[in-house]
Amino acid sequence: MATASTTPQDGIPASPEAIVVRFAGDSGDGMQLTGGQFTLSTALAGNDLATFPDFPAEIRAPQGTLFGVSAFQINFGSREINTAGDAPDVLVAMNPAALKVNLAALKPGGLIIADTGAFTKRNLDKAHYDANPLEDGSLAKFDVLAFDISEKTIEAVKPYGLGNKDALRSKNMWTLGLALWMFDRPREPIHDWLKAKFRSKPDIADANIAALDAGHAYGETAELAGPLKQVHVDPVPSEPGLYRTVTGAEAVSLGLVAGAQLAELPMFFGGYPITPASAILHHLARLKEFGVTTFQAEDEIAAICAAIGASYAGQLGITSSSGPGIALKTEAMGLAIMTELPLVIVNSQRGGPSTGLPTKTEQSDLYQAVYGRNGDAPMPVIAARSPSDAFEVAIEACRIATQYMTPVMLLTDGYIANAAEPWKVPDPDDFEPFPAKFLEVPNDGENFLPYKRDEKGARPWVKPGTPGMMHRIGGIEKHELTGNIDYSPDNHQRMTNARKNKVEGIVVPDQEVCLGETSGKLAVVGWGSTYGPIHRAVDNCRRKGMDVSQIHVRHIWPMPKNMGELLRGYDYVLVPEMNTGQFKTVLRDQFLVDAQPLTKTSGQPFQIAELEEEIGKFFDGIAGNEGGQVPANDQQLPSTDGGAK
């Protein structure tokens, strides 16, 4: 029986400008699939959106436990959406653990949809509840819609002869059907998807469709009190064109393929499975028709060395990993720098040293990217700011690698890799080709000098077997022209300078101000996935009359030539980043500006409200309270103990 609290503080308006929904349950409850399909239906409805899938680190945690909760949050609306939202308006909790872990995040007056069928004594004990929260009045400040989703799912799929265990696998589809009704979404695209997914098992497809339709029908016909009502969110105004949803991993993969095509090269991708980078290997493996070869190596070192070998042979070598795997690849990166071969290294950052926080996000590999190799080993570093931005950044990485004969590191993170947003598919004709050039005749009269450089400082690229172009390759210092082994002091000095000057001389666009003025009191400078919350926070503060601007940096190393002059135009510089202040240190080092850090290392992205509060400190007249560390926010993302003592 549905129940509702009597004194909610707020409610969901009938036509909100934006709304945040979080689906939460066991990692086996299909919450990521439910969220993904709700995202598809939301995109088809024309809303702008941003998502944040949140996975448990355990591969298969014990069912019903707090540390096995999986969540998927989506923020969608009729205006521009930059983040997955600070706090949900609606929480769908499939069991007690999901409720306990996520409840602190829900807005006062928000709606809880709970499956009473899962609130058994055993599951309540696993979630460390002394009493059933659906019955003890502890949820009084929320709207609560609680009914037996499990029973209703079993009833819906009964005609298909499934046992209770198999029937309950459709529980997420029943819940999705209810959500589709609640937010006025069509079911037909999900019907089509289910039929395609279970093409070889039509009974399973039909059972899931029946569950979906039953959830939708329940919303349409049930005699319920106030909590459940249909909410309409208008489409966002958008330019005409072809749109699709895209995750960061998908966008990187498509961008790498586009970059190889623009360079007129076949691509070789060498990878090794690691969260959250594995999805890039999965996506590229489906794109063989574009001249893509994928290789799952036995380890991280083999993966990058194979990619370097492919680049030596005349293909565009690509490799990908997350922080722990990047650490293993480090010596081979030095080999690519020493041999001066094009290579793109994608680092989908995750939290912590060693294996750290496998499924949480962080930006703590910046030092590793810029400085983290033995010897003086400079390498260009660029960073994507959002899932869709990763497409263009991947193309830029390919351009720099092939035009300057250098490895390039492309930084994303777990938030970008897993999150999705609408993407207007670009016209391929809008991108200028940068065809790779291979030297086929000697470049010094009758002699071939493999390290004779062009005006950009790049050495020639020669395919093995080209007549008369034999040369040495390897990781020992090279003669500045012949490439023969030469570790004499003066030659090493010249080669160190040549590699350094080549990277520092890479031409990158001037830095622009994303929001605000080119000078003023405060510049909030970010990089990577902090773009969304910074953009929204700066916009909100400017509406309050604060003299604050946003600068977001794509080219981390080398940085734009106008960066120092631009930063010196502000009285204060604040650098929010999900580490202990790494980019702040780079800015201080390069431009001697007194950049103030704002750090967060909880595995959680910044919230808009957190940034607004920190920006406000520069305008409150209190000296010395600016910057510092944002504490972990138990209300933001699931905690493994759900507040349990």
Side-chain angles (χ1 to χ4, degrees):
M1 190 66 189
T3 62
S5 64
T6 56
T7 57
Q9 295 182 11
D10 300 295
I12 301 171
S15 297
E17 191 178 40
I19 195 162
V20 180
V21 179
R22 182 181 295 178
F23 300 93
D26 263 323
S27 56
D29 281 339
M31 292 296 95
Q32 304 305 323
L33 186 147
T34 302
Q37 291 307 303
F38 186 76
T39 298
L40 172 63
S41 67
T42 298
L44 291 172
N47 298 129
D48 199 10
L49 63 93
T51 72
F52 185 47
D54 188 68
F55 308 94
E58 290 77 12
I59 294 173
R60 177 62 93 183
Q63 192 172 17
T65 57
L66 295 168
F67 50 86
V69 173
S70 178
F72 185 102
Q73 183 162 307
I74 176 171
N75 182 13
F76 59 98
S78 57
R79 60 165 171 78
E80 180 185 10
I81 300 295
N82 301 114
T83 76
D86 280 7
D89 299 284
V90 179
L91 170 62
V92 179
M94 303 301 287
N95 62 12
L99 178 64
K100 187 161 194 174
V101 166
N102 292 277
L103 183 61
L106 188 64
K107 293 178 182 176
L111 174 62
I112 298 169
I113 299 175
D115 176 16
T116 58
F119 278 69
T120 62
K121 176 68 166 60
R122 183 180 182 187
N123 282 343
L124 289 167
D125 289 343
K126 287 181 180 180
H128 304 294
Y129 274 119
D130 296 326
N132 190 336
L134 302 178
E135 301 172 351
D136 66 2
S138 61
L139 304 178
K141 68 177 181 178
F142 306 106
D143 278 330
V144 180
L145 180 63
F147 51 91
D148 197 336
I149 295 175
S150 299
E151 181 184 24
K152 294 182 184 301
T153 302
I154 292 171
E155 184 67 25
V157 303
K158 185 182 293 184
Y160 301 94
L162 301 180
N164 283 2
K165 183 177 180 181
D166 289 334
L168 287 175
R169 292 176 180 170
S170 300
K171 189 167 65 168
N172 62 329
M173 286 295 106
W174 196 102
T175 307
L176 176 59
L178 180 65
L180 293 177
W181 172 83
M182 184 175 179
F183 296 104
D184 195 18
R185 300 282 183 259
R187 285 169 288 159
E188 289 73 17
I190 314 301
H191 288 176
D192 294 341
W193 175 80
L194 286 167
K195 290 174 183 176
K197 180 176 177 64
F198 297 107
R199 184 178 295 108
S200 62
K201 299 177 180 179
D203 288 348
I204 300 297
D206 290 342
N208 278 286
I209 290 171
L212 182 86
D213 290 345
H216 191 277
Y218 186 80
E220 283 184 311
T221 61
E223 293 292 334
L224 298 172
L228 190 70
K229 56 181 179 288
Q230 197 164 47
V231 177
H232 178 74
V233 181
D234 291 329
V236 66
S238 57
E239 298 177 359
L242 175 63
Y243 287 83
R244 58 163 290 182
T245 57
V246 68
T247 66
E250 289 172 333
V252 165
S253 303
L254 293 171
L256 292 172
V257 172
Q261 295 285 307
L262 292 167
E264 299 179 2
L265 293 170
M267 181 211 296
F268 177 94
F269 180 91
Y272 181 78
I274 184 171
T275 302
S278 300
I280 297 174
L281 173 59
H282 301 160
H283 292 305
L284 287 174
R286 296 193 287 264
L287 299 174
K288 295 181 176 65
E289 67 269 28
F290 297 104
V292 177
T293 300
T294 52
F295 169 57
Q296 181 176 314
E298 64 268 30
D299 56 42
E300 297 282 7
I301 299 170
I304 186 172
C305 287
I308 293 171
S311 288
Y312 178 64
Q315 298 197 9
L316 178 55
I318 313 281
T319 192
S320 170
S321 191
S322 298
I326 297 295
L328 293 170
K329 295 178 188 291
T330 299
E331 183 183 359
M333 287 185 217
L335 174 64
I337 291 167
M338 169 71 72
T339 55
E340 299 190 47
L341 288 168
L343 178 72
V344 176
I345 305 144
V346 183
N347 182 355
S348 302
Q349 300 167 94
R350 69 192 207 186
S354 189
T355 45
L357 309 176
T359 60
K360 307 303 178 185
T361 194
E362 210 163 84
Q363 294 179 298
S364 52
D365 294 348
L366 187 72
Y367 285 161
Q368 182 186 40
V370 176
Y371 305 120
R373 291 161 294 282
N374 62 293
D376 281 293
M379 184 166 68
V381 179
I382 59 178
R385 71 186 193 185
S386 69
S388 58
D389 184 57
F391 177 80
E392 291 191 11
V393 171
I395 292 176
E396 176 70 348
C398 295
R399 182 191 70 84
I400 292 173
T402 55
Q403 297 299 293
Y404 291 87
M405 294 294 287
T406 179
V408 178
M409 187 172 289
L410 191 169
L411 296 175
T412 71
D413 58 41
Y415 182 65
I416 290 176
N418 294 324
E421 65 180 6
W423 177 49
K424 183 181 180 184
V425 179
D427 185 340
D429 292 337
D430 291 341
F431 294 92
E432 184 176 352
F434 43 86
K437 297 178 180 178
F438 294 95
L439 188 65
E440 296 180 347
V441 296
N443 57 354
D444 184 53
E446 296 182 357
N447 300 316
F448 168 49
L449 299 176
Y451 279 84
K452 183 179 180 180
R453 302 177 184 277
D454 63 14
E455 67 282 358
K456 299 188 296 293
R459 80 173 187 91
W461 196 358
V462 177
K463 292 182 180 180
T466 304
M469 313 292 274
M470 185 182 296
H471 60 287
R472 294 177 182 271
I473 202 77
I476 304 296
E477 185 63 279
K478 309 286 185 295
H479 184 272
E480 62 177 328
L481 291 175
T482 66
N484 296 330
I485 293 173
D486 188 341
Y487 42 80
S488 61
D490 57 343
N491 181 74
H492 177 56
Q493 180 72 66
R494 289 193 296 271
M495 287 296 278
T496 300
N497 292 342
R499 291 187 289 262
K500 176 176 181 288
N501 293 338
K502 178 178 71 171
V503 171
E504 291 182 351
I506 291 172
V507 177
V508 303
D510 279 352
Q511 181 62 49
E512 297 181 349
V513 176
C514 300
L515 192 61
E517 313 302 328
T518 55
S519 62
K521 182 168 183 177
L522 174 65
V524 183
V525 182
W527 66 278
S529 66
T530 58
Y531 173 82
I534 292 175
H535 189 76
R536 182 59 60 189
V538 168
D539 185 50
N540 292 346
C541 289
R542 287 181 60 82
R543 292 172 188 269
K544 298 174 185 176
M546 299 180 193
D547 182 11
V548 56
S549 301
Q550 179 192 12
I551 297 171
H552 212 78
V553 182
R554 170 183 284 184
H555 291 272
I556 303 294
W557 195 272
M559 274 187 273
K561 296 292 189 285
N562 69 327
M563 191 70 179
E565 180 183 357
L566 182 61
L567 294 179
R568 285 187 282 272
Y570 299 93
D571 297 337
Y572 300 96
V573 174
L574 179 68
V575 186
E577 49 186 332
M578 293 183 292
N579 56 46
T580 56
Q582 297 181 18
F583 192 50
K584 168 268 302 178
T585 301
V586 175
L587 292 176
R588 287 180 174 181
D589 167 49
Q590 292 297 297
F591 306 114
L592 301 179
V593 295
D594 187 21
Q596 298 298 311
L598 180 64
T599 66
K600 188 171 185 177
T601 53
S602 59
Q604 304 164 326
F606 280 102
Q607 287 188 311
I608 299 166
E610 292 170 342
L611 293 172
E612 283 190 61
E613 180 181 355
E614 296 298 332
I615 291 170
K617 292 179 180 179
F618 287 85
F619 299 89
D620 62 8
I622 302 173
N625 68 334
E626 303 91 353
Q629 185 177 71
V630 175
N633 185 350
D634 289 336
Q635 296 183 350
Q636 183 182 3
L637 284 174
S639 168
T640 55
D641 63 6
K645 301 300 182 185

